[in-house]
Amino acid sequence: MNDTPASGSSDRLDQLTANLARVEERIGAACRAAGRDREDVTLIVVTKTYPASDVRLLAGLGVRHVAENRDQEAGPKAAASADLPLSWHFVGQLQTNKARSVVRYADHVHSVDRLRLVGALSGAATAAGRRLGCLIQVALDAESGTQGERGGVAPDGVDALADAVAAADGLRLDGLMTVAPLAGAYAGQPRAAFDRLMEISSRLRETHPAANMVSAGMSQDLEEAVAAGATHVRVGTAVLGVRPRLR
Ligand SMILES: *Cc1c(COP(=O)(O)O)cnc(C)c1O
């Protein structure tokens, strides 16, 4: 077996095992520091740009949540992993014409940021007979009434979108997502950004109590997200390695 690709895959398994253990340690330490239970934070491993074989290895290591940001890549990868006990999260900017494809494999879409997308996802989920979990993506650096450069709705647009998701057939309003802004008042201040997201989440839960998912924190800032109260962290690089290209 040593000359087959299996030997390479055992190196990869060792690498993923070690990386996952380090990330698990970081999440555990952040939970202890914040006085939170480890079970209250879910790790989502972002597998974008990495092959389905990595998804399979991760599932074998106990990973249960994976995320992708491009439908063209995610669809085939999810199909190749259909036998694995995984939840798929879609976290990228989403065009309405991809909604039909995404609802086939995604359990959650974290990047709901405009009414047209709510309509497209609702129609697609209903046609597929599925109920899709939706998170509103908040662009903390976007001006009132606009969208963020990397997707997301400005904070003052959250309520209207949340109401639309909650009222839409085939959709379930699960919570909020953000990416720490690279520009604007929150640049370099992930903790302040995530605290702001938590405030918006608390207000949202006054009218939508079940919308309690808070998706925040990536490889660089997962500690700040756990400290602020995130329920889901989305970690790519720290588990899989530095991606060959920026996406
Ligand atoms: C790629 C990506 C992540 C993971 O980022 P890392 O820095 O690799 O951990 C998290 N969230 C979103 C929306 C992403 O696109």
Side-chain angles (χ1 to χ4, degrees):
M1 284 295 280
N2 278 346
D3 294 327
T4 71
S7 64
S9 119
S10 98
D11 290 349
R12 184 59 170 155
L13 178 60
D14 290 347
Q15 215 169 50
L16 293 177
T17 304
N19 290 349
L20 199 56
R22 216 170 298 128
V23 166
E24 186 50 52
E25 248 169 60
R26 287 176 60 192
I27 297 173
C31 284
R32 283 192 297 282
R36 301 184 61 196
D37 288 339
R38 172 63 189 88
E39 308 87 81
D40 294 344
V41 179
T42 299
L43 169 64
I44 303 173
V45 178
V46 184
T47 48
K48 65 189 182 196
T49 77
Y50 287 98
S53 55
D54 281 352
V55 173
R56 190 160 293 274
L57 292 173
L58 290 166
L61 291 171
V63 168
R64 290 296 172 262
H65 295 267
V66 293
E68 290 283 332
N69 73 335
R70 290 171 72 242
D71 174 61
Q72 305 93 292
E73 181 183 346
K77 222 185 276 187
S81 313
D83 58 315
L84 302 173
L86 290 170
S87 281
W88 289 80
H89 298 253
F90 192 88
V91 300
Q93 283 180 262
L94 183 54
Q95 295 170 291
T96 51
N97 63 6
K98 298 292 190 330
R100 257 157 48 109
S101 174
V102 166
V103 300
R104 282 192 207 118
Y105 55 85
D107 299 287
H108 290 91
V109 170
H110 292 226
S111 43
V112 176
D113 61 358
R114 58 202 191 280
L115 279 173
R116 274 197 60 208
L117 184 56
V118 174
L121 288 171
S122 173
T126 306
R130 296 205 62 184
R131 191 118 189 272
L132 180 71
C134 292
L135 288 78
I136 308 294
Q137 181 180 348
V138 185
L140 294 166
D141 54 344
E143 299 288 330
S144 167
T146 70
Q147 287 187 279
E149 250 171 65
R150 294 179 296 165
V153 65
D156 66 354
V158 169
D159 284 348
L161 266 182
D163 290 345
V165 169
D169 287 336
L171 306 184
R172 184 181 64 237
L173 179 67
D174 280 345
L176 301 179
M177 180 272 245
T178 204
V179 176
L182 296 173
Y186 290 109
Q189 317 251 27
R191 178 60 198 272
F194 299 146
D195 283 344
R196 176 80 182 104
L197 184 71
M198 287 306 301
E199 284 172 20
I200 300 169
S201 168
S202 301
R203 212 193 51 218
L204 176 69
R205 279 174 283 144
E206 288 171 13
T207 45
H208 299 282
N212 57 9
M213 282 177 67
V214 180
S215 167
M218 320 199 304
S219 293
Q220 298 239 18
D221 51 22
L222 71 87
E223 283 85 359
E224 286 85 353
V226 170
T231 62
H232 291 70
V233 292
R234 309 177 308 268
V235 180
T237 310
V239 172
L240 289 138
V242 176
R243 288 178 291 275
R245 310 180 282 283
L246 281 178
R247 293 281 170 111

mmCIF file of all heavy atoms in Angstrom, residues 7-48:
data_model
loop_
_atom_site.group_PDB
_atom_site.id
_atom_site.type_symbol
_atom_site.label_atom_id
_atom_site.label_comp_id
_atom_site.label_asym_id
_atom_site.label_seq_id
_atom_site.Cartn_x
_atom_site.Cartn_y
_atom_site.Cartn_z
ATOM 1 N N SER A 7 -0.889 6.262 0.972
ATOM 2 C CA SER A 7 0.138 6.733 1.900
ATOM 3 C C SER A 7 0.077 8.254 2.017
ATOM 4 O O SER A 7 0.202 8.813 3.104
ATOM 5 C CB SER A 7 1.525 6.270 1.453
ATOM 6 O OG SER A 7 1.852 6.844 0.213
ATOM 7 N N GLY A 8 -0.151 8.930 0.874
ATOM 8 C CA GLY A 8 -0.338 10.372 0.933
ATOM 9 C C GLY A 8 -1.531 10.733 1.779
ATOM 10 O O GLY A 8 -1.493 11.681 2.548
ATOM 11 N N SER A 9 -2.568 9.949 1.676
ATOM 12 C CA SER A 9 -3.776 10.280 2.426
ATOM 13 C C SER A 9 -3.577 10.044 3.914
ATOM 14 O O SER A 9 -4.203 10.687 4.737
ATOM 15 C CB SER A 9 -4.968 9.523 1.836
ATOM 16 O OG SER A 9 -5.541 8.671 2.776
ATOM 17 N N SER A 10 -2.671 9.140 4.293
ATOM 18 C CA SER A 10 -2.422 8.983 5.727
ATOM 19 C C SER A 10 -1.603 10.158 6.260
ATOM 20 O O SER A 10 -1.789 10.587 7.400
ATOM 21 C CB SER A 10 -1.775 7.624 6.035
ATOM 22 O OG SER A 10 -0.388 7.752 6.159
ATOM 23 N N ASP A 11 -0.715 10.739 5.448
ATOM 24 C CA ASP A 11 -0.050 11.993 5.843
ATOM 25 C C ASP A 11 -1.093 13.088 6.051
ATOM 26 O O ASP A 11 -1.020 13.854 7.001
ATOM 27 C CB ASP A 11 0.911 12.478 4.745
ATOM 28 C CG ASP A 11 2.134 11.582 4.621
ATOM 29 O OD1 ASP A 11 2.319 10.728 5.511
ATOM 30 O OD2 ASP A 11 2.857 11.736 3.630
ATOM 31 N N ARG A 12 -2.015 13.165 5.126
ATOM 32 C CA ARG A 12 -3.049 14.190 5.201
ATOM 33 C C ARG A 12 -3.903 13.968 6.444
ATOM 34 O O ARG A 12 -4.264 14.933 7.128
ATOM 35 C CB ARG A 12 -3.897 14.139 3.916
ATOM 36 C CG ARG A 12 -4.954 15.213 3.823
ATOM 37 C CD ARG A 12 -4.374 16.619 3.885
ATOM 38 N NE ARG A 12 -5.355 17.644 3.560
ATOM 39 C CZ ARG A 12 -5.264 18.903 3.983
ATOM 40 N NH1 ARG A 12 -4.216 19.294 4.722
ATOM 41 N NH2 ARG A 12 -6.171 19.782 3.626
ATOM 42 N N LEU A 13 -4.203 12.700 6.720
ATOM 43 C CA LEU A 13 -4.992 12.399 7.920
ATOM 44 C C LEU A 13 -4.257 12.872 9.172
ATOM 45 O O LEU A 13 -4.862 13.461 10.070
ATOM 46 C CB LEU A 13 -5.293 10.896 7.995
ATOM 47 C CG LEU A 13 -6.076 10.434 9.230
ATOM 48 C CD1 LEU A 13 -7.441 11.118 9.292
ATOM 49 C CD2 LEU A 13 -6.244 8.913 9.234
ATOM 50 N N ASP A 14 -2.939 12.616 9.223
ATOM 51 C CA ASP A 14 -2.155 13.058 10.390
ATOM 52 C C ASP A 14 -2.233 14.580 10.545
ATOM 53 O O ASP A 14 -2.387 15.112 11.645
ATOM 54 C CB ASP A 14 -0.683 12.650 10.239
ATOM 55 C CG ASP A 14 -0.500 11.141 10.356
ATOM 56 O OD1 ASP A 14 -1.451 10.461 10.794
ATOM 57 O OD2 ASP A 14 0.589 10.647 9.995
ATOM 58 N N GLN A 15 -2.084 15.256 9.384
ATOM 59 C CA GLN A 15 -2.112 16.715 9.388
ATOM 60 C C GLN A 15 -3.464 17.250 9.887
ATOM 61 O O GLN A 15 -3.523 18.125 10.752
ATOM 62 C CB GLN A 15 -1.946 17.144 7.926
ATOM 63 C CG GLN A 15 -1.177 18.374 7.651
ATOM 64 C CD GLN A 15 -0.931 18.436 6.130
ATOM 65 O OE1 GLN A 15 -1.867 18.291 5.330
ATOM 66 N NE2 GLN A 15 0.324 18.649 5.752
ATOM 67 N N LEU A 16 -4.534 16.704 9.330
ATOM 68 C CA LEU A 16 -5.869 17.166 9.721
ATOM 69 C C LEU A 16 -6.156 16.828 11.179
ATOM 70 O O LEU A 16 -6.770 17.625 11.896
ATOM 71 C CB LEU A 16 -6.940 16.547 8.804
ATOM 72 C CG LEU A 16 -6.907 16.999 7.344
ATOM 73 C CD1 LEU A 16 -7.971 16.265 6.528
ATOM 74 C CD2 LEU A 16 -7.109 18.511 7.226
ATOM 75 N N THR A 17 -5.682 15.666 11.622
ATOM 76 C CA THR A 17 -5.883 15.273 13.025
ATOM 77 C C THR A 17 -5.227 16.288 13.948
ATOM 78 O O THR A 17 -5.836 16.762 14.929
ATOM 79 C CB THR A 17 -5.283 13.873 13.282
ATOM 80 O OG1 THR A 17 -5.868 12.950 12.378
ATOM 81 C CG2 THR A 17 -5.550 13.411 14.711
ATOM 82 N N ALA A 18 -3.975 16.645 13.635
ATOM 83 C CA ALA A 18 -3.228 17.587 14.477
ATOM 84 C C ALA A 18 -3.874 18.974 14.431
ATOM 85 O O ALA A 18 -4.049 19.632 15.469
ATOM 86 C CB ALA A 18 -1.776 17.658 14.021
ATOM 87 N N ASN A 19 -4.236 19.434 13.231
ATOM 88 C CA ASN A 19 -4.834 20.770 13.102
ATOM 89 C C ASN A 19 -6.169 20.852 13.829
ATOM 90 O O ASN A 19 -6.457 21.846 14.512
ATOM 91 C CB ASN A 19 -5.050 21.116 11.629
ATOM 92 C CG ASN A 19 -3.744 21.363 10.896
ATOM 93 O OD1 ASN A 19 -2.684 21.469 11.514
ATOM 94 N ND2 ASN A 19 -3.818 21.440 9.573
ATOM 95 N N LEU A 20 -6.952 19.797 13.678
ATOM 96 C CA LEU A 20 -8.266 19.779 14.320
ATOM 97 C C LEU A 20 -8.100 19.791 15.841
ATOM 98 O O LEU A 20 -8.846 20.480 16.547
ATOM 99 C CB LEU A 20 -9.018 18.533 13.854
ATOM 100 C CG LEU A 20 -10.523 18.499 14.007
ATOM 101 C CD1 LEU A 20 -11.190 19.678 13.303
ATOM 102 C CD2 LEU A 20 -11.065 17.180 13.433
ATOM 103 N N ALA A 21 -7.116 19.057 16.341
ATOM 104 C CA ALA A 21 -6.878 19.022 17.789
ATOM 105 C C ALA A 21 -6.499 20.411 18.289
ATOM 106 O O ALA A 21 -6.942 20.847 19.357
ATOM 107 C CB ALA A 21 -5.781 18.008 18.115
ATOM 108 N N ARG A 22 -5.677 21.118 17.507
ATOM 109 C CA ARG A 22 -5.260 22.468 17.909
ATOM 110 C C ARG A 22 -6.463 23.425 17.919
ATOM 111 O O ARG A 22 -6.619 24.230 18.838
ATOM 112 C CB ARG A 22 -4.176 22.972 16.941
ATOM 113 C CG ARG A 22 -3.118 23.818 17.630
ATOM 114 C CD ARG A 22 -1.940 24.098 16.690
ATOM 115 N NE ARG A 22 -1.257 22.877 16.291
ATOM 116 C CZ ARG A 22 -0.985 22.523 15.027
ATOM 117 N NH1 ARG A 22 -1.355 23.290 14.014
ATOM 118 N NH2 ARG A 22 -0.336 21.392 14.756
ATOM 119 N N VAL A 23 -7.297 23.328 16.917
ATOM 120 C CA VAL A 23 -8.493 24.188 16.867
ATOM 121 C C VAL A 23 -9.436 23.835 18.014
ATOM 122 O O VAL A 23 -10.000 24.729 18.670
ATOM 123 C CB VAL A 23 -9.197 24.058 15.497
ATOM 124 C CG1 VAL A 23 -10.595 24.656 15.524
ATOM 125 C CG2 VAL A 23 -8.356 24.713 14.410
ATOM 126 N N GLU A 24 -9.576 22.553 18.280
ATOM 127 C CA GLU A 24 -10.437 22.112 19.388
ATOM 128 C C GLU A 24 -9.917 22.680 20.710
ATOM 129 O O GLU A 24 -10.697 23.163 21.544
ATOM 130 C CB GLU A 24 -10.483 20.581 19.410
ATOM 131 C CG GLU A 24 -11.437 19.984 20.420
ATOM 132 C CD GLU A 24 -12.836 20.593 20.363
ATOM 133 O OE1 GLU A 24 -13.438 20.650 19.284
ATOM 134 O OE2 GLU A 24 -13.310 21.029 21.423
ATOM 135 N N GLU A 25 -8.583 22.654 20.873
ATOM 136 C CA GLU A 25 -7.980 23.225 22.084
ATOM 137 C C GLU A 25 -8.282 24.721 22.196
ATOM 138 O O GLU A 25 -8.578 25.225 23.282
ATOM 139 C CB GLU A 25 -6.456 23.090 22.009
ATOM 140 C CG GLU A 25 -5.831 22.125 22.992
ATOM 141 C CD GLU A 25 -4.375 21.891 22.606
ATOM 142 O OE1 GLU A 25 -3.605 22.875 22.578
ATOM 143 O OE2 GLU A 25 -4.037 20.736 22.297
ATOM 144 N N ARG A 26 -8.167 25.412 21.063
ATOM 145 C CA ARG A 26 -8.438 26.862 21.074
ATOM 146 C C ARG A 26 -9.888 27.147 21.452
ATOM 147 O O ARG A 26 -10.161 28.040 22.258
ATOM 148 C CB ARG A 26 -8.134 27.466 19.701
ATOM 149 C CG ARG A 26 -6.642 27.571 19.391
ATOM 150 C CD ARG A 26 -6.419 28.087 17.976
ATOM 151 N NE ARG A 26 -6.997 29.423 17.756
ATOM 152 C CZ ARG A 26 -7.125 29.979 16.560
ATOM 153 N NH1 ARG A 26 -6.740 29.325 15.464
ATOM 154 N NH2 ARG A 26 -7.638 31.189 16.440
ATOM 155 N N ILE A 27 -10.811 26.389 20.877
ATOM 156 C CA ILE A 27 -12.233 26.617 21.198
ATOM 157 C C ILE A 27 -12.483 26.289 22.667
ATOM 158 O O ILE A 27 -13.168 27.044 23.378
ATOM 159 C CB ILE A 27 -13.145 25.771 20.282
ATOM 160 C CG1 ILE A 27 -12.966 26.187 18.824
ATOM 161 C CG2 ILE A 27 -14.613 25.912 20.708
ATOM 162 C CD1 ILE A 27 -13.691 25.295 17.826
ATOM 163 N N GLY A 28 -11.892 25.203 23.144
ATOM 164 C CA GLY A 28 -12.063 24.812 24.544
ATOM 165 C C GLY A 28 -11.538 25.879 25.489
ATOM 166 O O GLY A 28 -12.192 26.244 26.469
ATOM 167 N N ALA A 29 -10.351 26.385 25.175
ATOM 168 C CA ALA A 29 -9.743 27.415 26.028
ATOM 169 C C ALA A 29 -10.599 28.685 26.010
ATOM 170 O O ALA A 29 -10.809 29.329 27.046
ATOM 171 C CB ALA A 29 -8.323 27.719 25.558
ATOM 172 N N ALA A 30 -11.108 29.045 24.822
ATOM 173 C CA ALA A 30 -11.941 30.253 24.717
ATOM 174 C C ALA A 30 -13.236 30.075 25.503
ATOM 175 O O ALA A 30 -13.713 31.016 26.150
ATOM 176 C CB ALA A 30 -12.234 30.555 23.246
ATOM 177 N N CYS A 31 -13.805 28.889 25.457
ATOM 178 C CA CYS A 31 -15.028 28.620 26.232
ATOM 179 C C CYS A 31 -14.738 28.726 27.723
ATOM 180 O O CYS A 31 -15.503 29.367 28.466
ATOM 181 C CB CYS A 31 -15.579 27.228 25.906
ATOM 182 S SG CYS A 31 -16.413 27.135 24.315
ATOM 183 N N ARG A 32 -13.642 28.116 28.186
ATOM 184 C CA ARG A 32 -13.308 28.193 29.618
ATOM 185 C C ARG A 32 -13.119 29.637 30.035
ATOM 186 O O ARG A 32 -13.626 30.072 31.076
ATOM 187 C CB ARG A 32 -12.047 27.378 29.920
ATOM 188 C CG ARG A 32 -12.294 25.869 29.976
ATOM 189 C CD ARG A 32 -11.091 25.124 30.561
ATOM 190 N NE ARG A 32 -9.871 25.258 29.760
ATOM 191 C CZ ARG A 32 -9.623 24.575 28.644
ATOM 192 N NH1 ARG A 32 -10.504 23.694 28.183
ATOM 193 N NH2 ARG A 32 -8.492 24.752 27.978
ATOM 194 N N ALA A 33 -12.387 30.400 29.219
ATOM 195 C CA ALA A 33 -12.119 31.804 29.559
ATOM 196 C C ALA A 33 -13.415 32.607 29.655
ATOM 197 O O ALA A 33 -13.518 33.552 30.438
ATOM 198 C CB ALA A 33 -11.183 32.425 28.520
ATOM 199 N N ALA A 34 -14.399 32.220 28.829
ATOM 200 C CA ALA A 34 -15.660 32.972 28.804
ATOM 201 C C ALA A 34 -16.695 32.381 29.755
ATOM 202 O O ALA A 34 -17.825 32.892 29.822
ATOM 203 C CB ALA A 34 -16.214 32.987 27.368
ATOM 204 N N GLY A 35 -16.339 31.297 30.454
ATOM 205 C CA GLY A 35 -17.308 30.643 31.332
ATOM 206 C C GLY A 35 -18.459 30.022 30.554
ATOM 207 O O GLY A 35 -19.584 29.951 31.036
ATOM 208 N N ARG A 36 -18.166 29.546 29.340
ATOM 209 C CA ARG A 36 -19.212 28.924 28.523
ATOM 210 C C ARG A 36 -18.971 27.422 28.426
ATOM 211 O O ARG A 36 -17.834 26.969 28.518
ATOM 212 C CB ARG A 36 -19.213 29.534 27.108
ATOM 213 C CG ARG A 36 -19.439 31.037 27.075
ATOM 214 C CD ARG A 36 -19.536 31.556 25.644
ATOM 215 N NE ARG A 36 -20.657 30.952 24.916
ATOM 216 C CZ ARG A 36 -20.789 30.985 23.598
ATOM 217 N NH1 ARG A 36 -19.872 31.581 22.855
ATOM 218 N NH2 ARG A 36 -21.824 30.417 23.019
ATOM 219 N N ASP A 37 -20.046 26.659 28.205
ATOM 220 C CA ASP A 37 -19.918 25.221 27.981
ATOM 221 C C ASP A 37 -19.412 24.981 26.565
ATOM 222 O O ASP A 37 -19.887 25.621 25.623
ATOM 223 C CB ASP A 37 -21.286 24.525 28.137
ATOM 224 C CG ASP A 37 -21.730 24.479 29.585
ATOM 225 O OD1 ASP A 37 -20.863 24.605 30.480
ATOM 226 O OD2 ASP A 37 -22.948 24.323 29.817
ATOM 227 N N ARG A 38 -18.516 24.031 26.440
ATOM 228 C CA ARG A 38 -17.988 23.699 25.120
ATOM 229 C C ARG A 38 -19.103 23.304 24.144
ATOM 230 O O ARG A 38 -19.032 23.599 22.960
ATOM 231 C CB ARG A 38 -16.936 22.581 25.253
ATOM 232 C CG ARG A 38 -16.427 22.007 23.943
ATOM 233 C CD ARG A 38 -15.700 23.053 23.110
ATOM 234 N NE ARG A 38 -15.391 22.571 21.769
ATOM 235 C CZ ARG A 38 -16.228 22.680 20.738
ATOM 236 N NH1 ARG A 38 -17.425 23.252 20.882
ATOM 237 N NH2 ARG A 38 -15.871 22.241 19.548
ATOM 238 N N GLU A 39 -20.143 22.641 24.673
ATOM 239 C CA GLU A 39 -21.227 22.174 23.778
ATOM 240 C C GLU A 39 -22.038 23.342 23.216
ATOM 241 O O GLU A 39 -22.822 23.159 22.292
ATOM 242 C CB GLU A 39 -22.220 21.247 24.500
ATOM 243 C CG GLU A 39 -21.621 20.077 25.238
ATOM 244 C CD GLU A 39 -21.224 20.469 26.653
ATOM 245 O OE1 GLU A 39 -22.108 20.499 27.521
ATOM 246 O OE2 GLU A 39 -20.032 20.766 26.882
ATOM 247 N N ASP A 40 -21.873 24.519 23.765
ATOM 248 C CA ASP A 40 -22.644 25.650 23.269
ATOM 249 C C ASP A 40 -22.018 26.308 22.033
ATOM 250 O O ASP A 40 -22.579 27.258 21.483
ATOM 251 C CB ASP A 40 -22.821 26.695 24.375
ATOM 252 C CG ASP A 40 -23.690 26.147 25.508
ATOM 253 O OD1 ASP A 40 -24.379 25.120 25.280
ATOM 254 O OD2 ASP A 40 -23.669 26.712 26.613
ATOM 255 N N VAL A 41 -20.839 25.808 21.640
ATOM 256 C CA VAL A 41 -20.187 26.341 20.439
ATOM 257 C C VAL A 41 -19.998 25.198 19.438
ATOM 258 O O VAL A 41 -19.406 24.169 19.774
ATOM 259 C CB VAL A 41 -18.816 26.972 20.767
ATOM 260 C CG1 VAL A 41 -18.152 27.486 19.493
ATOM 261 C CG2 VAL A 41 -18.963 28.095 21.791
ATOM 262 N N THR A 42 -20.513 25.375 18.243
ATOM 263 C CA THR A 42 -20.395 24.366 17.190
ATOM 264 C C THR A 42 -19.297 24.761 16.216
ATOM 265 O O THR A 42 -19.280 25.893 15.728
ATOM 266 C CB THR A 42 -21.734 24.233 16.429
ATOM 267 O OG1 THR A 42 -22.746 23.827 17.350
ATOM 268 C CG2 THR A 42 -21.638 23.217 15.306
ATOM 269 N N LEU A 43 -18.393 23.827 15.954
ATOM 270 C CA LEU A 43 -17.348 24.058 14.958
ATOM 271 C C LEU A 43 -17.863 23.671 13.579
ATOM 272 O O LEU A 43 -18.303 22.538 13.362
ATOM 273 C CB LEU A 43 -16.107 23.216 15.298
ATOM 274 C CG LEU A 43 -15.034 23.155 14.202
ATOM 275 C CD1 LEU A 43 -14.422 24.529 13.926
ATOM 276 C CD2 LEU A 43 -13.948 22.144 14.562
ATOM 277 N N ILE A 44 -17.796 24.624 12.664
ATOM 278 C CA ILE A 44 -18.082 24.363 11.249
ATOM 279 C C ILE A 44 -16.752 24.461 10.510
ATOM 280 O O ILE A 44 -16.090 25.499 10.568
ATOM 281 C CB ILE A 44 -19.070 25.403 10.671
ATOM 282 C CG1 ILE A 44 -20.382 25.431 11.462
ATOM 283 C CG2 ILE A 44 -19.335 25.114 9.203
ATOM 284 C CD1 ILE A 44 -21.326 26.568 11.028
ATOM 285 N N VAL A 45 -16.347 23.400 9.857
ATOM 286 C CA VAL A 45 -15.081 23.429 9.127
ATOM 287 C C VAL A 45 -15.345 23.864 7.689
ATOM 288 O O VAL A 45 -16.149 23.253 6.982
ATOM 289 C CB VAL A 45 -14.371 22.062 9.167
ATOM 290 C CG1 VAL A 45 -13.087 22.110 8.346
ATOM 291 C CG2 VAL A 45 -14.057 21.655 10.611
ATOM 292 N N VAL A 46 -14.691 24.939 7.278
ATOM 293 C CA VAL A 46 -14.895 25.493 5.937
ATOM 294 C C VAL A 46 -13.925 24.798 4.977
ATOM 295 O O VAL A 46 -12.716 25.009 5.032
ATOM 296 C CB VAL A 46 -14.675 27.015 5.932
ATOM 297 C CG1 VAL A 46 -14.978 27.587 4.547
ATOM 298 C CG2 VAL A 46 -15.561 27.693 6.977
ATOM 299 N N THR A 47 -14.491 23.948 4.101
ATOM 300 C CA THR A 47 -13.673 23.067 3.255
ATOM 301 C C THR A 47 -13.451 23.624 1.849
ATOM 302 O O THR A 47 -12.904 22.926 0.992
ATOM 303 C CB THR A 47 -14.336 21.680 3.173
ATOM 304 O OG1 THR A 47 -15.730 21.827 2.874
ATOM 305 C CG2 THR A 47 -14.205 20.938 4.499
ATOM 306 N N LYS A 48 -13.842 24.859 1.595
ATOM 307 C CA LYS A 48 -13.698 25.447 0.251
ATOM 308 C C LYS A 48 -12.256 25.322 -0.254
ATOM 309 O O LYS A 48 -11.318 25.478 0.536
ATOM 310 C CB LYS A 48 -14.126 26.918 0.265
ATOM 311 C CG LYS A 48 -13.227 27.806 1.115
ATOM 312 C CD LYS A 48 -13.830 29.198 1.267
ATOM 313 C CE LYS A 48 -12.904 30.097 2.063
ATOM 314 N NZ LYS A 48 -13.588 31.308 2.547
#
